[in-house]
Amino acid sequence: RITCSVAANPGKPRDWSCRCSCGSKTAPRGGTTRIVPPSSARRKDGGRFWVEVTARRAVIGGRNRILAVARDIAERTRAKEALRESEERMSVVFDASEAGIALVDAEGRIDFANHRMARMLGHRSRGEIIGVDFRSYLHPSSLEANERTTGQLRDGSLDHLLFERRFVRANGEEFWGHASVRALPGTDKSFRGMVVVVTDITERKHMEEMTAR
């Protein structure tokens, strides 16, 4: 962390430059504190690093000054970038899957879904199903069994389930799906939600029905 102060010119409240080389050019108004968006700064040796600056007006030694605190956030920035890249890679993996994948929260709402899941449920984009209750896509005949299996995941008696269920697309069309469901535990081991992976097995079920005749 670097702390510095520069003279404030009352006639030109925006005419200042922090000597810590944070690059900020905007002074805070009055006695308020201003947080400058993260930016690239230059060290004395010419090296660059990411910095976040908090600045405010202050009276030091009887003179109006701008007091600035610069924090090196290079590590935090690298961590955010690594997380973003990881999320992008996972998104590519999910969207490459032939199975529908969804993250469902403890209340049954869809937090995330890949494109295959969205199309399987009768939507054009995954954004259309985010926040929707996953149970709304279950056939009425599957609701009771769903409540039972979700209860087993919630109370911890099971952490992974495999089953076949009837689903209903947004346009009312029915289809059979093979579902693999795994519980998502929170940091305190509580039930945080579940990962649902669904494969459309409608054709297989039709073939089985025809064979059984």
Side-chain angles (χ1 to χ4, degrees):
R1 184 176 71 176
I2 304 170
T3 303
C4 66
S5 65
V6 297
N9 186 336
K12 297 181 179 180
R14 294 180 179 272
D15 185 17
W16 73 289
S17 178
C18 177
R19 292 193 180 97
C20 67
S21 299
C22 66
S24 178
K25 298 291 182 181
T26 305
R29 295 178 180 274
T32 61
T33 298
R34 179 183 178 86
I35 299 177
V36 181
S39 58
S40 177
R42 184 181 65 257
R43 293 190 177 91
K44 188 175 181 180
D45 62 6
R48 308 293 298 187
F49 67 105
W50 281 96
V51 65
E52 181 181 72
V53 179
T54 302
R56 64 170 298 155
R57 290 184 179 275
V59 178
I60 302 176
R63 298 180 62 189
N64 289 328
R65 312 285 288 186
I66 300 295
L67 183 64
V69 178
R71 296 179 178 84
D72 185 339
I73 59 170
E75 185 175 344
R76 189 178 78 188
T77 301
R78 285 194 295 269
K80 285 185 177 180
E81 181 65 18
L83 177 60
R84 184 187 64 78
E85 291 179 355
S86 176
E87 289 176 342
E88 288 180 351
R89 287 195 296 269
M90 291 303 296
S91 181
V92 171
V93 171
F94 286 151
D95 284 334
S97 174
E98 287 299 314
I101 304 173
L103 301 182
V104 180
D105 68 17
E107 302 302 318
R109 294 182 296 266
I110 299 172
D111 276 343
F112 169 86
N114 65 352
H115 289 298
R116 177 57 179 160
M117 178 65 85
R119 291 191 295 270
M120 189 181 297
L121 297 179
H123 295 274
R124 293 183 178 180
S125 68
R126 57 187 177 186
E128 295 179 8
I129 65 175
I130 301 302
V132 178
D133 194 319
F134 187 75
R135 290 166 293 193
S136 66
Y137 297 105
L138 290 173
H139 189 275
S141 64
S142 299
L143 290 173
E144 183 178 346
N146 180 75
E147 291 302 312
R148 183 170 59 254
T149 54
T150 301
Q152 292 174 307
L153 295 173
R154 190 182 296 277
D155 64 23
S157 58
L158 290 174
D159 64 357
H160 185 214
L161 290 167
L162 295 171
F163 50 80
E164 295 179 356
R165 296 269 164 80
R166 290 171 69 186
F167 293 83
V168 181
R169 304 187 209 277
N171 61 5
E173 180 183 355
E174 298 179 12
F175 72 98
W176 277 93
H178 177 275
S180 173
V181 182
R182 185 174 293 276
L184 285 175
T187 54
D188 58 353
K189 306 295 184 180
S190 62
F191 179 72
R192 206 177 97 196
M194 52 192 173
V195 181
V196 182
V197 181
V198 180
T199 303
D200 190 333
I201 59 170
T202 305
E203 290 188 13
R204 195 198 78 192
K205 296 295 286 188
H206 288 167
M207 291 295 295
E208 290 175 355
E209 292 175 0
M210 292 177 63
T211 303
R213 291 176 183 174

